[in-house]
Structures are given as C-alpha cells and as structure tokens.
Amino acid sequence: QVQLVESGGGLVQAGGSLRLSCAASGTIFSISAMGWYRQGPGKQRELVATITSGGTTNYADSVKGRFTISRDNAKNTVSLQMNSLKPEDTAVYYCNAVAIRAIRYYGDLWGQGTQVTVSS
C-alpha cells in the first residue's frame, strides 16, 4: 500500500516560518516529480511548488523568494521551507507525487493535507 504522510503544519504569526515534510511509504512505483499544493478558505486548489527527480524547481509567483522546496530521492521525501509567512498563506497544504509504473505514468499520489494558519 502506498501512502504520502505529511507533517509540520501549525499556527504561526505573520513573518514566521514553518517547514512541511512529506514521505512516501510502501511505494511499489517509481516516484517522478513531487510537489506541494494548497487550498485556502473559499479558494480553489493551487500549485505552490514542484520539484523533479533531477532537482528542477518551479514556484508559484506568490511564494517565490519565500518558500523553498527540496527532496531526498533515496528516501522519497519532499519538504517545503516556508519563510516570511503571510496571512494569505493560510491553507490546507497537500503533498503530491507522480507515480510511474512500467515506465509509464500511473497516477498521482496525494497526502491527507496539513493545516497551516498564519495570524496577522
């Protein structure tokens, strides 16, 4: 059974920092790109950051310069360092991983979500 397990969410004041972590366990697939998405109150789910197995990163404009995504390919983990947090960063953050089976795209794996709340 394959699962993505997230940790690190919580309550923080504006200007503070949090680090989110996600680990893929029990995977029978190869993991390609990994990333973080978020969904705030009354908003659609949006991309925050992604990282390929080769280390190429992509960030939403709203988090560039503040967030940093990283991964450990050997452990199938991905992290998101969030600095200079703003109230508008408040959302449920979801870990994502692209699963590959038989050298073809199989599907996306998703974590259960972790709440990040930033107070003003």
Side-chain angles (χ1 to χ4, degrees), residues 4 24 30-37 47 49-58 69 71 73 76-78 95-100 105 107-109:
L4 296 181
S30 296
I31 302 300
S32 184
M34 302 185 77
W36 291 92
Y37 294 74
L47 181 147
T50 61
I51 184 168
T52 68
S53 60
T56 301
T57 59
N58 183 55
I69 189 170
R71 68 185 290 169
N73 290 336
N76 284 331
T77 60
V78 62
C95 179
N96 169 262
V98 176
I100 304 296
Y105 171 74
D108 281 22
L109 309 177

Side-chain angles (χ1 to χ4, degrees), residues 7-87:
S7 62
L11 175 64
V12 66
Q13 291 183 323
S17 298
L18 284 173
R19 184 177 180 86
L20 306 182
S21 296
C22 172
S25 62
T27 182
I28 61 172
F29 308 103
S30 296
I31 302 300
S32 184
M34 302 185 77
W36 291 92
Y37 294 74
R38 68 186 181 187
Q39 186 167 18
K43 299 180 180 179
Q44 297 184 159
R45 183 177 62 186
E46 64 176 353
L47 181 147
V48 177
T50 61
I51 184 168
T52 68
S53 60
T56 301
T57 59
N58 183 55
Y59 297 92
D61 288 341
S62 60
V63 306
K64 286 181 179 177
R66 300 189 298 120
F67 292 8
T68 302
I69 189 170
S70 61
R71 68 185 290 169
D72 185 331
N73 290 336
K75 297 181 178 180
N76 284 331
T77 60
V78 62
S79 297
L80 185 70
Q81 179 66 45
M82 305 184 294
N83 298 326
S84 302
L85 284 161
K86 304 174 181 179

